[in-house]
Amino acid sequence: QYAGGDGKTGEGFLTLANKYLGMNMVQSGYAGSNWSGSNDGDAPAKVNKLISDGIDYDVILLAWGTNPDDSNGTISDTASSTGSMVSVMKWYNYPMAGIGVIIPPPALSFTEDKANLMIDVCKSEGIPYLNMFHEGGISINHNKNGGLANDQVHLHSVYGSSKYATALISFIERICPCVTY
């Protein structure tokens, strides 16, 4: 919600990516949200809103952050709008748009085991993903070189947003080969 920017002004990662790609990405982040849950910013509510808005998006990137879910679940969980993170990740189906998932870097309340579980779900469902730790180089580092701030949750100001934008741009080019500059 905070580091992405409004997509038009400032130094947020969406603004940087929009300028480079010539796209019109919209930031719909909601602080404190999870993959599972029933709050306004949680994945089931956000997905239902996308569907009910009736907008034909070209691509939807799902990037819930490092907030802990009540239950991560297991790779064998079935698709459902309620339940574990895995169930919700499998449930999401927006047939008119490409989908990509952004895997956050390990952080204070987000372990590499959770990241690996998310990657396994993406692989099993055929969903493109961007691993912000391995591909984006964002890590817990108490200085600007890691990309995360001292709180080990949020991106470190302009430096973290720039690192995130660089990885995001490459990911978008990979899943949207028709981007024009």
Side-chain angles (χ1 to χ4, degrees), residues 164-179:
Y164 196 101
T166 300
L168 183 64
I169 288 165
S170 177
F171 181 56
I172 290 168
E173 289 175 322
R174 188 174 75 208
I175 64 174
C176 305
C178 297
V179 171

Side-chain angles (χ1 to χ4, degrees), residues 1-2 26-31 33 41 46:
Q1 178 177 8
Y2 305 112
V26 177
Q27 206 286 84
S28 297
Y30 195 91
S33 59
K46 294 299 271 189

Side-chain angles (χ1 to χ4, degrees), residues 28-52:
S28 297
Y30 195 91
S33 59
N34 298 303
W35 278 95
S36 59
S38 58
N39 295 318
D40 288 342
D42 293 335
K46 294 299 271 189
V47 168
N48 283 328
K49 174 122 178 61
L50 288 172
I51 293 167
S52 69

